Amino acid sequence: MPYPVDQFAALAKANVGLMLKLAEVARKGGEESLEVGNRAAGRFAEEARASIAGATDKTSDAGAVSPAGPRALFEDMATVREHMIAGTRSAFEEWQQAWQAVASAPTAPGALDAFAAIVGPWFGQKSPGDGEKQATSDK
């Protein structure tokens, strides 16, 4: 049976794990977005060069300026977004499971009384045994 300090340590570990996973999701999403942007910029630059040179192919739809180009760009960005949403969802599910495991674990007998006696005065709360002392002193 864990003591409250063990529970706080487990919750802190879960919070740090969540933060690290969300940072990783953001990093990967940023990298993927940059790759998509680089591909789109490359296609646009190729079409611009071809247009300037006067050698544009009117039937080509592979570039960023052509009708298929923006569609491909938006599909790539949607894929990046879906990966980020899935990663975020996974991170939050793991975090929730960690918190649930801590919340559902039984606490050692008397551990909360000892913890409340130490921490309670910081928050202006009486220790568990203070009420009994006052009741006996009033008699």
Side-chain angles (χ1 to χ4, degrees), residues 21-22 25 31 35 49 51 56 60 66 78 82 96-98 111 115 125 127 135 139:
K21 287 177 184 166
L22 290 177
V25 166
E31 284 180 359
E35 290 173 10
R49 278 190 218 111
S51 176
T56 57
S60 173
S66 66
E82 289 169 4
Q96 287 175 336
Q97 289 172 357
F115 183 73
Q125 299 173 352
S127 298
K139 291 182 183 179

mmCIF file with all atom_site columns, all heavy atoms in Angstrom, residues 21-22 25 31 35 49 51 56 60 66 78 82 96-98 111 115 125 127 135 139:
data_model
loop_
_atom_site.group_PDB
_atom_site.id
_atom_site.type_symbol
_atom_site.label_atom_id
_atom_site.label_alt_id
_atom_site.label_comp_id
_atom_site.label_asym_id
_atom_site.label_entity_id
_atom_site.label_seq_id
_atom_site.pdbx_PDB_ins_code
_atom_site.Cartn_x
_atom_site.Cartn_y
_atom_site.Cartn_z
_atom_site.occupancy
_atom_site.B_iso_or_equiv
_atom_site.pdbx_formal_charge
_atom_site.auth_seq_id
_atom_site.auth_comp_id
_atom_site.auth_asym_id
_atom_site.auth_atom_id
_atom_site.pdbx_PDB_model_num
ATOM 1   N N   . LYS A 1 21  ? 5.520   13.762 -23.749 1.00 0.00 ? 21  LYS A N   1
ATOM 2   C CA  . LYS A 1 21  ? 4.837   13.202 -24.921 1.00 0.00 ? 21  LYS A CA  1
ATOM 3   C C   . LYS A 1 21  ? 4.189   14.296 -25.757 1.00 0.00 ? 21  LYS A C   1
ATOM 4   O O   . LYS A 1 21  ? 4.229   14.244 -26.989 1.00 0.00 ? 21  LYS A O   1
ATOM 5   C CB  . LYS A 1 21  ? 3.818   12.159 -24.478 1.00 0.00 ? 21  LYS A CB  1
ATOM 6   C CG  . LYS A 1 21  ? 4.493   10.895 -24.006 1.00 0.00 ? 21  LYS A CG  1
ATOM 7   C CD  . LYS A 1 21  ? 3.520   9.881  -23.502 1.00 0.00 ? 21  LYS A CD  1
ATOM 8   C CE  . LYS A 1 21  ? 4.314   8.696  -22.961 1.00 0.00 ? 21  LYS A CE  1
ATOM 9   N NZ  . LYS A 1 21  ? 3.507   7.809  -22.177 1.00 0.00 ? 21  LYS A NZ  1
ATOM 10  N N   . LEU A 1 22  ? 3.599   15.303 -25.100 1.00 0.00 ? 22  LEU A N   1
ATOM 11  C CA  . LEU A 1 22  ? 3.005   16.409 -25.858 1.00 0.00 ? 22  LEU A CA  1
ATOM 12  C C   . LEU A 1 22  ? 4.080   17.214 -26.577 1.00 0.00 ? 22  LEU A C   1
ATOM 13  O O   . LEU A 1 22  ? 3.869   17.659 -27.720 1.00 0.00 ? 22  LEU A O   1
ATOM 14  C CB  . LEU A 1 22  ? 2.196   17.302 -24.927 1.00 0.00 ? 22  LEU A CB  1
ATOM 15  C CG  . LEU A 1 22  ? 0.902   16.694 -24.387 1.00 0.00 ? 22  LEU A CG  1
ATOM 16  C CD1 . LEU A 1 22  ? 0.227   17.668 -23.423 1.00 0.00 ? 22  LEU A CD1 1
ATOM 17  C CD2 . LEU A 1 22  ? -0.040  16.296 -25.500 1.00 0.00 ? 22  LEU A CD2 1
ATOM 18  N N   . VAL A 1 25  ? 4.966   15.191 -29.611 1.00 0.00 ? 25  VAL A N   1
ATOM 19  C CA  . VAL A 1 25  ? 3.919   15.307 -30.632 1.00 0.00 ? 25  VAL A CA  1
ATOM 20  C C   . VAL A 1 25  ? 4.061   16.645 -31.364 1.00 0.00 ? 25  VAL A C   1
ATOM 21  O O   . VAL A 1 25  ? 3.976   16.701 -32.602 1.00 0.00 ? 25  VAL A O   1
ATOM 22  C CB  . VAL A 1 25  ? 2.518   15.166 -29.990 1.00 0.00 ? 25  VAL A CB  1
ATOM 23  C CG1 . VAL A 1 25  ? 1.419   15.616 -30.938 1.00 0.00 ? 25  VAL A CG1 1
ATOM 24  C CG2 . VAL A 1 25  ? 2.277   13.729 -29.550 1.00 0.00 ? 25  VAL A CG2 1
ATOM 25  N N   . GLU A 1 31  ? 7.884   19.171 -37.573 1.00 0.00 ? 31  GLU A N   1
ATOM 26  C CA  . GLU A 1 31  ? 8.766   18.633 -38.617 1.00 0.00 ? 31  GLU A CA  1
ATOM 27  C C   . GLU A 1 31  ? 7.977   18.211 -39.845 1.00 0.00 ? 31  GLU A C   1
ATOM 28  O O   . GLU A 1 31  ? 8.362   18.505 -40.980 1.00 0.00 ? 31  GLU A O   1
ATOM 29  C CB  . GLU A 1 31  ? 9.558   17.441 -38.085 1.00 0.00 ? 31  GLU A CB  1
ATOM 30  C CG  . GLU A 1 31  ? 10.697  17.795 -37.182 1.00 0.00 ? 31  GLU A CG  1
ATOM 31  C CD  . GLU A 1 31  ? 11.454  16.575 -36.691 1.00 0.00 ? 31  GLU A CD  1
ATOM 32  O OE1 . GLU A 1 31  ? 11.081  15.432 -37.037 1.00 0.00 ? 31  GLU A OE1 1
ATOM 33  O OE2 . GLU A 1 31  ? 12.427  16.770 -35.949 1.00 0.00 ? 31  GLU A OE2 1
ATOM 34  N N   . GLU A 1 35  ? 8.119   19.695 -43.671 1.00 0.00 ? 35  GLU A N   1
ATOM 35  C CA  . GLU A 1 35  ? 8.340   18.862 -44.853 1.00 0.00 ? 35  GLU A CA  1
ATOM 36  C C   . GLU A 1 35  ? 7.266   19.101 -45.906 1.00 0.00 ? 35  GLU A C   1
ATOM 37  O O   . GLU A 1 35  ? 7.567   19.218 -47.095 1.00 0.00 ? 35  GLU A O   1
ATOM 38  C CB  . GLU A 1 35  ? 8.382   17.389 -44.460 1.00 0.00 ? 35  GLU A CB  1
ATOM 39  C CG  . GLU A 1 35  ? 9.611   16.988 -43.673 1.00 0.00 ? 35  GLU A CG  1
ATOM 40  C CD  . GLU A 1 35  ? 9.540   15.563 -43.151 1.00 0.00 ? 35  GLU A CD  1
ATOM 41  O OE1 . GLU A 1 35  ? 8.617   14.815 -43.552 1.00 0.00 ? 35  GLU A OE1 1
ATOM 42  O OE2 . GLU A 1 35  ? 10.407  15.207 -42.344 1.00 0.00 ? 35  GLU A OE2 1
ATOM 43  N N   . ARG A 1 49  ? 9.528   28.548 -62.269 1.00 0.00 ? 49  ARG A N   1
ATOM 44  C CA  . ARG A 1 49  ? 10.658  28.508 -63.190 1.00 0.00 ? 49  ARG A CA  1
ATOM 45  C C   . ARG A 1 49  ? 10.193  28.119 -64.592 1.00 0.00 ? 49  ARG A C   1
ATOM 46  O O   . ARG A 1 49  ? 10.605  28.701 -65.591 1.00 0.00 ? 49  ARG A O   1
ATOM 47  C CB  . ARG A 1 49  ? 11.712  27.507 -62.704 1.00 0.00 ? 49  ARG A CB  1
ATOM 48  C CG  . ARG A 1 49  ? 12.619  28.063 -61.659 1.00 0.00 ? 49  ARG A CG  1
ATOM 49  C CD  . ARG A 1 49  ? 13.798  27.120 -61.393 1.00 0.00 ? 49  ARG A CD  1
ATOM 50  N NE  . ARG A 1 49  ? 14.060  27.141 -59.976 1.00 0.00 ? 49  ARG A NE  1
ATOM 51  C CZ  . ARG A 1 49  ? 13.847  26.137 -59.132 1.00 0.00 ? 49  ARG A CZ  1
ATOM 52  N NH1 . ARG A 1 49  ? 13.428  24.982 -59.562 1.00 0.00 ? 49  ARG A NH1 1
ATOM 53  N NH2 . ARG A 1 49  ? 14.101  26.274 -57.854 1.00 0.00 ? 49  ARG A NH2 1
ATOM 54  N N   . SER A 1 51  ? 7.205   28.453 -65.805 1.00 0.00 ? 51  SER A N   1
ATOM 55  C CA  . SER A 1 51  ? 6.372   29.517 -66.342 1.00 0.00 ? 51  SER A CA  1
ATOM 56  C C   . SER A 1 51  ? 7.235   30.660 -66.876 1.00 0.00 ? 51  SER A C   1
ATOM 57  O O   . SER A 1 51  ? 6.955   31.223 -67.927 1.00 0.00 ? 51  SER A O   1
ATOM 58  C CB  . SER A 1 51  ? 5.428   30.027 -65.259 1.00 0.00 ? 51  SER A CB  1
ATOM 59  O OG  . SER A 1 51  ? 4.673   31.110 -65.729 1.00 0.00 ? 51  SER A OG  1
ATOM 60  N N   . THR A 1 56  ? 5.552   25.945 -69.703 1.00 0.00 ? 56  THR A N   1
ATOM 61  C CA  . THR A 1 56  ? 4.540   25.341 -68.832 1.00 0.00 ? 56  THR A CA  1
ATOM 62  C C   . THR A 1 56  ? 3.744   24.308 -69.593 1.00 0.00 ? 56  THR A C   1
ATOM 63  O O   . THR A 1 56  ? 3.416   24.473 -70.768 1.00 0.00 ? 56  THR A O   1
ATOM 64  C CB  . THR A 1 56  ? 3.576   26.410 -68.273 1.00 0.00 ? 56  THR A CB  1
ATOM 65  O OG1 . THR A 1 56  ? 2.982   27.097 -69.374 1.00 0.00 ? 56  THR A OG1 1
ATOM 66  C CG2 . THR A 1 56  ? 4.287   27.362 -67.351 1.00 0.00 ? 56  THR A CG2 1
ATOM 67  N N   . SER A 1 60  ? -0.405  19.317 -67.023 1.00 0.00 ? 60  SER A N   1
ATOM 68  C CA  . SER A 1 60  ? 0.180   18.812 -65.782 1.00 0.00 ? 60  SER A CA  1
ATOM 69  C C   . SER A 1 60  ? -0.629  19.306 -64.592 1.00 0.00 ? 60  SER A C   1
ATOM 70  O O   . SER A 1 60  ? -1.010  20.470 -64.522 1.00 0.00 ? 60  SER A O   1
ATOM 71  C CB  . SER A 1 60  ? 1.623   19.285 -65.649 1.00 0.00 ? 60  SER A CB  1
ATOM 72  O OG  . SER A 1 60  ? 2.126   18.940 -64.387 1.00 0.00 ? 60  SER A OG  1
ATOM 73  N N   . SER A 1 66  ? -1.266  24.207 -59.718 1.00 0.00 ? 66  SER A N   1
ATOM 74  C CA  . SER A 1 66  ? -2.318  23.538 -60.464 1.00 0.00 ? 66  SER A CA  1
ATOM 75  C C   . SER A 1 66  ? -3.444  23.104 -59.521 1.00 0.00 ? 66  SER A C   1
ATOM 76  O O   . SER A 1 66  ? -3.270  23.091 -58.315 1.00 0.00 ? 66  SER A O   1
ATOM 77  C CB  . SER A 1 66  ? -1.742  22.325 -61.200 1.00 0.00 ? 66  SER A CB  1
ATOM 78  O OG  . SER A 1 66  ? -1.317  21.375 -60.258 1.00 0.00 ? 66  SER A OG  1
ATOM 79  N N   . ALA A 1 78  ? -3.751  17.682 -43.621 1.00 0.00 ? 78  ALA A N   1
ATOM 80  C CA  . ALA A 1 78  ? -4.765  16.939 -42.861 1.00 0.00 ? 78  ALA A CA  1
ATOM 81  C C   . ALA A 1 78  ? -4.158  15.681 -42.247 1.00 0.00 ? 78  ALA A C   1
ATOM 82  O O   . ALA A 1 78  ? -4.475  15.320 -41.112 1.00 0.00 ? 78  ALA A O   1
ATOM 83  C CB  . ALA A 1 78  ? -5.942  16.580 -43.758 1.00 0.00 ? 78  ALA A CB  1
ATOM 84  N N   . GLU A 1 82  ? -4.003  14.844 -38.332 1.00 0.00 ? 82  GLU A N   1
ATOM 85  C CA  . GLU A 1 82  ? -4.535  13.592 -37.780 1.00 0.00 ? 82  GLU A CA  1
ATOM 86  C C   . GLU A 1 82  ? -3.481  12.872 -36.940 1.00 0.00 ? 82  GLU A C   1
ATOM 87  O O   . GLU A 1 82  ? -3.802  12.318 -35.892 1.00 0.00 ? 82  GLU A O   1
ATOM 88  C CB  . GLU A 1 82  ? -5.027  12.693 -38.912 1.00 0.00 ? 82  GLU A CB  1
ATOM 89  C CG  . GLU A 1 82  ? -6.290  13.202 -39.566 1.00 0.00 ? 82  GLU A CG  1
ATOM 90  C CD  . GLU A 1 82  ? -6.640  12.469 -40.856 1.00 0.00 ? 82  GLU A CD  1
ATOM 91  O OE1 . GLU A 1 82  ? -5.935  11.509 -41.209 1.00 0.00 ? 82  GLU A OE1 1
ATOM 92  O OE2 . GLU A 1 82  ? -7.612  12.882 -41.503 1.00 0.00 ? 82  GLU A OE2 1
ATOM 93  N N   . GLN A 1 96  ? -4.267  9.687  -18.158 1.00 0.00 ? 96  GLN A N   1
ATOM 94  C CA  . GLN A 1 96  ? -5.471  9.372  -17.392 1.00 0.00 ? 96  GLN A CA  1
ATOM 95  C C   . GLN A 1 96  ? -5.361  8.010  -16.722 1.00 0.00 ? 96  GLN A C   1
ATOM 96  O O   . GLN A 1 96  ? -5.786  7.842  -15.574 1.00 0.00 ? 96  GLN A O   1
ATOM 97  C CB  . GLN A 1 96  ? -6.711  9.405  -18.297 1.00 0.00 ? 96  GLN A CB  1
ATOM 98  C CG  . GLN A 1 96  ? -7.120  10.797 -18.687 1.00 0.00 ? 96  GLN A CG  1
ATOM 99  C CD  . GLN A 1 96  ? -8.273  10.799 -19.695 1.00 0.00 ? 96  GLN A CD  1
ATOM 100 O OE1 . GLN A 1 96  ? -8.480  9.835  -20.415 1.00 0.00 ? 96  GLN A OE1 1
ATOM 101 N NE2 . GLN A 1 96  ? -8.996  11.897 -19.738 1.00 0.00 ? 96  GLN A NE2 1
ATOM 102 N N   . GLN A 1 97  ? -4.794  7.042  -17.403 1.00 0.00 ? 97  GLN A N   1
ATOM 103 C CA  . GLN A 1 97  ? -4.616  5.716  -16.817 1.00 0.00 ? 97  GLN A CA  1
ATOM 104 C C   . GLN A 1 97  ? -3.669  5.780  -15.621 1.00 0.00 ? 97  GLN A C   1
ATOM 105 O O   . GLN A 1 97  ? -3.911  5.121  -14.603 1.00 0.00 ? 97  GLN A O   1
ATOM 106 C CB  . GLN A 1 97  ? -4.087  4.731  -17.858 1.00 0.00 ? 97  GLN A CB  1
ATOM 107 C CG  . GLN A 1 97  ? -5.109  4.367  -18.908 1.00 0.00 ? 97  GLN A CG  1
ATOM 108 C CD  . GLN A 1 97  ? -4.505  3.537  -20.037 1.00 0.00 ? 97  GLN A CD  1
ATOM 109 O OE1 . GLN A 1 97  ? -3.318  3.275  -20.067 1.00 0.00 ? 97  GLN A OE1 1
ATOM 110 N NE2 . GLN A 1 97  ? -5.348  3.150  -20.982 1.00 0.00 ? 97  GLN A NE2 1
ATOM 111 N N   . ALA A 1 98  ? -2.610  6.567  -15.734 1.00 0.00 ? 98  ALA A N   1
ATOM 112 C CA  . ALA A 1 98  ? -1.672  6.700  -14.621 1.00 0.00 ? 98  ALA A CA  1
ATOM 113 C C   . ALA A 1 98  ? -2.358  7.347  -13.414 1.00 0.00 ? 98  ALA A C   1
ATOM 114 O O   . ALA A 1 98  ? -2.197  6.886  -12.280 1.00 0.00 ? 98  ALA A O   1
ATOM 115 C CB  . ALA A 1 98  ? -0.456  7.516  -15.043 1.00 0.00 ? 98  ALA A CB  1
ATOM 116 N N   . ALA A 1 111 ? -1.694  6.338  6.994   1.00 0.00 ? 111 ALA A N   1
ATOM 117 C CA  . ALA A 1 111 ? -0.807  7.191  6.210   1.00 0.00 ? 111 ALA A CA  1
ATOM 118 C C   . ALA A 1 111 ? -1.414  8.565  6.005   1.00 0.00 ? 111 ALA A C   1
ATOM 119 O O   . ALA A 1 111 ? -0.716  9.580  6.075   1.00 0.00 ? 111 ALA A O   1
ATOM 120 C CB  . ALA A 1 111 ? -0.494  6.543  4.872   1.00 0.00 ? 111 ALA A CB  1
ATOM 121 N N   . PHE A 1 115 ? 0.010   12.180 7.245   1.00 0.00 ? 115 PHE A N   1
ATOM 122 C CA  . PHE A 1 115 ? 0.231   13.196 6.220   1.00 0.00 ? 115 PHE A CA  1
ATOM 123 C C   . PHE A 1 115 ? -0.581  14.456 6.534   1.00 0.00 ? 115 PHE A C   1
ATOM 124 O O   . PHE A 1 115 ? -0.069  15.572 6.433   1.00 0.00 ? 115 PHE A O   1
ATOM 125 C CB  . PHE A 1 115 ? -0.141  12.641 4.847   1.00 0.00 ? 115 PHE A CB  1
ATOM 126 C CG  . PHE A 1 115 ? 0.124   13.590 3.726   1.00 0.00 ? 115 PHE A CG  1
ATOM 127 C CD1 . PHE A 1 115 ? 1.410   13.851 3.316   1.00 0.00 ? 115 PHE A CD1 1
ATOM 128 C CD2 . PHE A 1 115 ? -0.925  14.236 3.087   1.00 0.00 ? 115 PHE A CD2 1
ATOM 129 C CE1 . PHE A 1 115 ? 1.667   14.733 2.280   1.00 0.00 ? 115 PHE A CE1 1
ATOM 130 C CE2 . PHE A 1 115 ? -0.686  15.118 2.054   1.00 0.00 ? 115 PHE A CE2 1
ATOM 131 C CZ  . PHE A 1 115 ? 0.617   15.366 1.653   1.00 0.00 ? 115 PHE A CZ  1
ATOM 132 N N   . GLN A 1 125 ? -5.770  23.894 8.478   1.00 0.00 ? 125 GLN A N   1
ATOM 133 C CA  . GLN A 1 125 ? -6.660  22.809 8.889   1.00 0.00 ? 125 GLN A CA  1
ATOM 134 C C   . GLN A 1 125 ? -6.139  22.193 10.167  1.00 0.00 ? 125 GLN A C   1
ATOM 135 O O   . GLN A 1 125 ? -4.945  22.177 10.429  1.00 0.00 ? 125 GLN A O   1
ATOM 136 C CB  . GLN A 1 125 ? -6.749  21.740 7.801   1.00 0.00 ? 125 GLN A CB  1
ATOM 137 C CG  . GLN A 1 125 ? -7.292  22.263 6.497   1.00 0.00 ? 125 GLN A CG  1
ATOM 138 C CD  . GLN A 1 125 ? -7.202  21.227 5.391   1.00 0.00 ? 125 GLN A CD  1
ATOM 139 O OE1 . GLN A 1 125 ? -6.604  20.185 5.568   1.00 0.00 ? 125 GLN A OE1 1
ATOM 140 N NE2 . GLN A 1 125 ? -7.793  21.530 4.255   1.00 0.00 ? 125 GLN A NE2 1
ATOM 141 N N   . SER A 1 127 ? -5.232  19.184 12.684  1.00 0.00 ? 127 SER A N   1
ATOM 142 C CA  . SER A 1 127 ? -4.734  17.821 12.575  1.00 0.00 ? 127 SER A CA  1
ATOM 143 C C   . SER A 1 127 ? -5.824  16.866 13.027  1.00 0.00 ? 127 SER A C   1
ATOM 144 O O   . SER A 1 127 ? -6.709  17.241 13.799  1.00 0.00 ? 127 SER A O   1
ATOM 145 C CB  . SER A 1 127 ? -3.498  17.637 13.456  1.00 0.00 ? 127 SER A CB  1
ATOM 146 O OG  . SER A 1 127 ? -2.470  18.485 13.019  1.00 0.00 ? 127 SER A OG  1
ATOM 147 N N   . ALA A 1 135 ? -11.984 18.407 22.803  1.00 0.00 ? 135 ALA A N   1
ATOM 148 C CA  . ALA A 1 135 ? -13.172 17.853 23.451  1.00 0.00 ? 135 ALA A CA  1
ATOM 149 C C   . ALA A 1 135 ? -12.847 17.413 24.879  1.00 0.00 ? 135 ALA A C   1
ATOM 150 O O   . ALA A 1 135 ? -13.642 17.600 25.786  1.00 0.00 ? 135 ALA A O   1
ATOM 151 C CB  . ALA A 1 135 ? -13.737 16.685 22.640  1.00 0.00 ? 135 ALA A CB  1
ATOM 152 N N   . LYS A 1 139 ? -14.057 19.338 29.054  1.00 0.00 ? 139 LYS A N   1
ATOM 153 C CA  . LYS A 1 139 ? -14.811 18.640 30.113  1.00 0.00 ? 139 LYS A CA  1
ATOM 154 C C   . LYS A 1 139 ? -14.339 18.980 31.457  1.00 0.00 ? 139 LYS A C   1
ATOM 155 O O   . LYS A 1 139 ? -13.620 19.451 32.025  1.00 0.00 ? 139 LYS A O   1
ATOM 156 C CB  . LYS A 1 139 ? -14.681 17.132 29.933  1.00 0.00 ? 139 LYS A CB  1
ATOM 157 C CG  . LYS A 1 139 ? -15.410 16.674 28.705  1.00 0.00 ? 139 LYS A CG  1
ATOM 158 C CD  . LYS A 1 139 ? -15.306 15.181 28.591  1.00 0.00 ? 139 LYS A CD  1
ATOM 159 C CE  . LYS A 1 139 ? -15.976 14.690 27.330  1.00 0.00 ? 139 LYS A CE  1
ATOM 160 N NZ  . LYS A 1 139 ? -15.882 13.295 27.159  1.00 0.00 ? 139 LYS A NZ  1
#
